[in-house]
Amino acid sequence: MRNPINTQSCLPERGRADHIKLRAGLMLFAVLFFADTMFSGCTRLAVLPENSGRDPDRNQDRPNILWLVSEDNSPETIGVYGNPAAHTPHIDRLASGGIVFRHAFSHSPVCAVARSTLLSGIHSPSTGMHQMRSRIAQPPEIEDLFYPTLLRKAGYYTANNSKTDYNLPTPHGRFWDESSDDAHYKNRAEGQPFFAVFNNHDTHESGMFLDVMSSEPVTDPAIVPLPPYHPDTPVMRRSWAHYFDRNRDMDSWVGGKLAELEELGLAENTIIFYYGDHGGVLPRSKRFLYHTGTAVPLVVYFPERWQHLAPLEPGSWSDELVGFADFPPTLLSLIGEPIPEQYQGRAFLGPQAKDPESGKYSEPGKDPESGKHFESGKDPVFLYRDRMVQQYDMQRGVFDGEYRYIRNFMPHRPNGQYIHFPFRMQAMQEWYRVWASGEATPKQSVFWVPQPPEELYHTASDPWEVRNLAGNPAYANKLGELREATRRYMLSYRDAGFIPDDMHQALTGGMTLYEYIRTDAYPLDYLVDLAEKATSRNPEHLPMLIWAMQEDYAPARFWGALGCLVLGYDAMAAKPRLITLLDDEFASVQVMAAEALGRLGDMDLAIAALSNVLDSELENELLYAVNALASLDVPAKYHDELLAKLQRIAYDEERVIRGSFQYSRRTATYLVMKWTEDTYPPIY
């Protein structure tokens, strides 16, 4: 069986004449697409007429660019990446005439955060858009750099069909000429070059919910390669088989879009990208910082006319490290436009992909201490994870092409926190059942227990990333190297993740968060050092934590209290200071102190403080409180006191909750059902 992640292609490394190439147009592809859908059980499309070589854009001096984007799928679900259970003939044929990227990443493992990086060319923690669906406003000068805006200024017709989800408070469609379910490059002016995005929903997580998985899968459950962290049960195998079926459907959609392009005579002037919007979607992929959550399939096809913009021959594999922050500068490189200096990515295709004098890759940022630029394309890819829907968490990390490093800044939480959407999947319910019944192996149990402060995986030999090497002395040098790379990125990009979101308005005044974190008022070096010590589980750092809880700067108090929570009973000496923080001006600090006191055994104080926060009308304050209650093992004697408030949050539609998505209602509902019903985890 091929390695499902770090695999060699089923195609040779270089293109050969006997491969199906898409140089003279995709007419052969259209015929093959029709034949395949006839015999594979996919949706049947009409036979496409021959094009006779017409090309309405033949006099165009710039290429059209077409993005075909699938949701929630990792490289291992695409046939060209080597998984024997994958059936994606149309993408595989596109790859045979294009370039396949072995190491492409979304940076974040969830849609809104990944898409905000993709839109802006700036890492989401550097804009403040790092929390899932946080709707953080950006300065006008940054919005002016969003790639659809720059493409429109360059004369391109921009069409988005139709997902946006950019983490912004403003209407997302305004950046495009057209953004709707009807958006299409066919609506452009005659002779106008186009940039068009088509998004496919077939592989989205919702397609794996229990209530839509009634049919038997087409893919044989016996042949799917299960990761070792999933229990090998019939239910889990059936879930994986259904997921491969969803990828079959998505692949047929890709085939239809390519056939349409050929039918319209546009194939010879259009550069085509196929990629996934982040990893997914079965448990421990989407929303998690592992390879299965952040790696995406990426295939780029250049027609013969624009082959000079490609770095490799058709049918080649690229080992270059690329991420979504690199996509906007790459677009501008392909169409011959200048790349804004504010972008933190760099072009990996086109004439600006390499410095014409040195031959080195273009450079996206500076080391804040040495002033030297990073050598992108060779440096590790920056990775980040924060609040996932209703559950707070914070992780940062890097991948260098061989090793993955993860720094957990909330190690008191397990990865397996209750989040409504994934728990609607039968696979997640099955995994939880096996673990809760004591039947799980050690590798299958790690997901459900508190995280270690650091994780290090040799992904090249451990593709499912289950052997944490962070505590192995033989890997101390690599651990230190990637720890420092992660810190360098956080400092260079002015990472906003160290500020609790209920403090944003008070700290920023009239500025945007993007502007505030670039001022001297944001002591990032100190906060990073404090947060690293607070989450190290080292009692020697307790004096620093006690000192931090007395700071005037509120984020320092938050991290001091969180560090005591992580230490548990080793923080007993900090109890008097924690009690004073129950009256802090910020709910996030109150909640961290209350949860820490609960862990120290003073549940009366903890519950009283959390109950007070439940009276808030602010979404982020409520989220902190219900997160703490979900994490604490709250004794039954406190349930009645809390249930009335939780039920009002969960079910009272007239209650005013000021915030973006009111995710607090989901966790409140979870707690009500957990404390009042027999089934657990509650599925609603």
Side-chain angles (χ1 to χ4, degrees):
M1 182 184 300
R2 291 189 182 94
N3 182 323
I5 293 180
N6 188 27
T7 178
Q8 297 295 316
S9 169
C10 58
L11 302 173
E13 293 289 317
R14 311 289 291 183
R16 293 181 181 175
D18 58 345
H19 284 165
I20 302 171
K21 295 184 179 178
L22 308 181
R23 289 177 174 271
L26 298 174
M27 181 52 60
L28 176 59
F29 180 89
V31 174
L32 290 171
F33 169 76
F34 172 70
D36 185 83
T37 53
M38 282 283 290
F39 295 105
S40 66
C42 300
T43 303
R44 178 174 177 172
L45 299 181
V47 178
L48 297 173
E50 290 202 10
N51 188 271
S52 303
R54 65 182 176 86
D55 183 356
D57 292 340
R58 61 187 176 276
N59 295 321
Q60 213 171 273
D61 61 357
R62 289 178 294 178
N64 303 315
I65 300 175
L66 175 65
W67 280 6
L68 302 176
V69 185
S70 55
E71 294 193 54
D72 299 4
N73 62 308
S74 307
E76 65 266 20
T77 62
I78 306 301
V80 70
Y81 284 89
N83 194 319
H87 182 74
T88 53
H90 308 304
I91 295 172
D92 297 348
R93 292 187 189 114
L94 186 70
S96 71
I99 300 170
V100 185
F101 287 81
R102 202 185 310 276
H103 301 304
F105 296 89
S106 57
H107 300 294
S108 168
V110 74
C111 48
V113 183
R115 287 173 181 265
S116 64
T117 297
L118 182 64
L119 177 73
S120 66
I122 302 172
H123 290 287
S124 294
S126 191
T127 59
M129 295 191 286
H130 50 284
Q131 307 277 25
M132 173 62 173
R133 299 211 173 111
S134 52
R135 291 184 170 177
I136 298 294
Q138 298 301 304
E141 61 269 23
I142 296 302
E143 288 196 354
D144 288 344
L145 300 180
F146 292 169
Y147 76 80
T149 301
L150 294 181
L151 291 174
R152 291 173 73 185
K153 288 180 179 178
Y156 272 71
Y157 184 82
T158 60
N160 178 57
N161 188 326
S162 65
K163 184 166 183 174
T164 52
D165 206 4
Y166 298 142
N167 238 2
L168 293 164
T170 52
H172 296 171
R174 66 190 180 92
F175 306 116
W176 301 85
D177 287 303
E178 190 179 11
S179 181
S180 71
D181 291 342
D182 298 319
H184 204 288
Y185 52 81
K186 292 188 292 187
N187 301 328
R188 74 196 190 284
E190 184 177 354
Q192 184 180 15
F194 70 78
F195 171 81
V197 183
F198 290 89
N199 296 272
N200 180 269
H201 198 70
D202 286 333
T203 51
H204 187 265
E205 179 177 40
S206 56
M208 298 300 296
F209 289 172
L210 181 60
D211 54 352
V212 297
M213 285 182 53
S214 57
S215 62
E216 287 301 311
V218 174
T219 302
D220 183 359
I223 69 169
V224 297
L226 289 184
Y229 50 78
H230 280 173
D232 192 348
T233 67
V235 169
M236 190 64 75
R237 285 194 167 275
R238 185 172 178 271
S239 293
W240 270 93
H242 270 289
Y243 184 47
F244 279 107
D245 287 356
R246 300 289 183 270
N247 280 268
R248 285 176 179 243
D249 296 339
M250 178 272 294
D251 179 73
S252 292
W253 171 85
V254 169
K257 292 299 179 187
L258 296 176
E260 179 183 41
L261 191 73
E262 170 62 25
E263 181 184 15
L264 294 172
L266 300 173
E268 273 306 297
N269 204 42
T270 303
I271 298 171
I272 303 166
F273 286 56
Y274 160 71
Y275 65 92
D277 71 341
H278 52 71
V281 66
L282 291 170
R284 197 186 179 263
S285 56
K286 179 178 180 177
R287 299 187 185 88
F288 300 99
L289 217 56
Y290 301 108
H291 197 97
T292 48
T294 57
V296 297
L298 173 61
V299 176
V300 183
Y301 165 74
F302 291 85
E304 186 171 11
R305 179 179 178 184
W306 301 106
Q307 188 63 46
H308 63 281
L309 297 176
L312 298 169
E313 293 296 318
S316 297
W317 280 73
S318 172
D319 287 320
E320 187 174 353
L321 298 170
V322 302
F324 278 5
D326 303 322
F327 280 39
T330 296
L331 286 176
L332 296 175
S333 176
L334 289 172
I335 68 171
E337 291 291 317
I339 297 173
E341 63 179 12
Q342 293 91 337
Y343 278 2
Q344 292 169 346
R346 45 84 206 176
F348 58 90
L349 302 170
Q352 298 180 71
K354 293 186 179 182
D355 183 278
E357 295 182 4
S358 67
K360 293 182 179 179
Y361 290 102
S362 56
E363 301 160 333
K366 290 184 177 180
D367 185 299
E369 297 178 359
S370 68
K372 294 181 179 179
H373 286 280
F374 305 145
E375 292 186 12
S376 70
K378 301 175 183 177
D379 267 14
V381 174
F382 187 35
L383 308 170
Y384 31 88
R385 176 182 190 262
D386 293 270
R387 177 177 53 75
M388 290 292 144
V389 194
Q390 75 253 39
Q391 294 289 2
Y392 280 105
D393 206 339
M394 181 177 175
Q395 298 171 331
R396 296 292 183 267
V398 292
F399 178 73
D400 70 356
E402 188 175 2
Y403 288 87
R404 177 176 304 264
Y405 170 79
I406 298 174
R407 186 64 166 85
N408 292 305
F409 285 102
M410 292 190 175
H412 57 295
R413 302 275 195 248
N415 274 317
Q417 297 184 78
Y418 182 86
I419 301 176
H420 177 56
F421 257 41
F423 267 92
R424 291 182 65 184
M425 292 192 293
Q426 190 175 28
M428 183 67 92
Q429 297 175 36
E430 174 71 355
W431 191 5
Y432 179 83
R433 181 196 66 78
V434 171
W435 175 74
S437 65
E439 302 170 20
T441 67
K443 289 179 180 178
Q444 295 162 4
S445 301
V446 169
F447 183 77
W448 303 100
V449 300
Q451 306 162 8
E454 295 181 295
E455 300 174 61
L456 178 69
Y457 301 99
H458 185 234
T459 308
S461 63
D462 177 22
W464 295 111
E465 297 174 334
V466 294
R467 297 191 296 272
N468 184 7
L469 305 173
N472 189 328
Y475 295 89
N477 289 340
K478 176 58 69 172
L479 180 69
E481 172 193 331
L482 298 187
R483 179 193 296 137
E484 181 56 32
T486 302
R487 169 182 264 266
R488 184 181 67 188
Y489 280 136
M490 292 188 296
L491 294 176
S492 176
Y493 296 144
R494 304 297 296 169
D495 194 319
F498 296 91
I499 307 174
D501 50 6
D502 67 329
M503 301 179 187
H504 288 176
Q505 185 173 356
L507 292 178
T508 60
M511 290 184 285
T512 63
L513 189 57
Y514 177 94
E515 294 165 319
Y516 169 76
I517 61 176
R518 285 163 172 78
T519 69
D520 292 338
Y522 184 39
L524 181 57
D525 292 68
Y526 168 58
L527 287 180
V528 170
D529 184 59
L530 173 60
E532 288 177 341
K533 289 181 169 61
T535 55
S536 66
R537 288 203 178 100
N538 186 346
E540 293 181 2
H541 297 313
L542 184 59
M544 182 181 185
L545 302 180
I546 294 174
W547 180 265
M549 288 189 287
Q550 304 174 66
E551 290 271 20
D552 291 335
Y553 191 62
R557 300 197 299 273
F558 173 88
W559 286 104
L562 187 147
C564 293
L565 171 57
V566 171
L567 284 176
Y569 278 101
D570 286 333
M572 186 63 73
K575 185 175 179 179
R577 179 55 54 186
L578 287 167
I579 292 174
T580 67
L581 293 185
L582 297 179
D583 295 319
D584 196 90
E585 62 179 305
F586 292 104
S588 57
V589 178
Q590 297 172 31
V591 169
M592 285 300 116
E595 189 174 353
L597 288 167
R599 298 290 182 192
L600 288 172
D602 202 331
M603 196 64 74
D604 286 346
L605 278 176
I607 296 302
L610 294 174
S611 179
N612 287 337
V613 179
L614 292 180
D615 293 326
S616 173
E617 293 183 351
L618 297 178
E619 166 68 2
N620 47 31
E621 294 185 355
L622 290 171
L623 262 182
Y624 279 111
V626 294
N627 268 224
L629 290 171
S631 179
L632 284 171
D633 186 13
V634 178
K637 68 177 183 178
Y638 299 103
H639 288 183
D640 289 344
E641 174 186 347
L642 296 169
L643 275 172
K645 294 186 177 184
L646 291 170
Q647 287 169 334
R648 186 163 175 247
I649 295 170
Y651 306 127
D652 186 352
E653 296 182 359
E654 295 183 1
R655 175 173 180 169
V656 175
I657 298 179
R658 290 179 286 150
S660 295
F661 282 88
Q662 301 187 9
Y663 288 134
S664 58
R665 294 188 187 274
R666 294 184 180 181
T667 301
T669 302
Y670 155 78
L671 287 167
V672 170
M673 296 182 71
K674 178 181 177 180
W675 292 350
T676 61
E677 300 185 12
D678 293 333
T679 57
Y680 184 80
I683 308 300
Y684 56 94

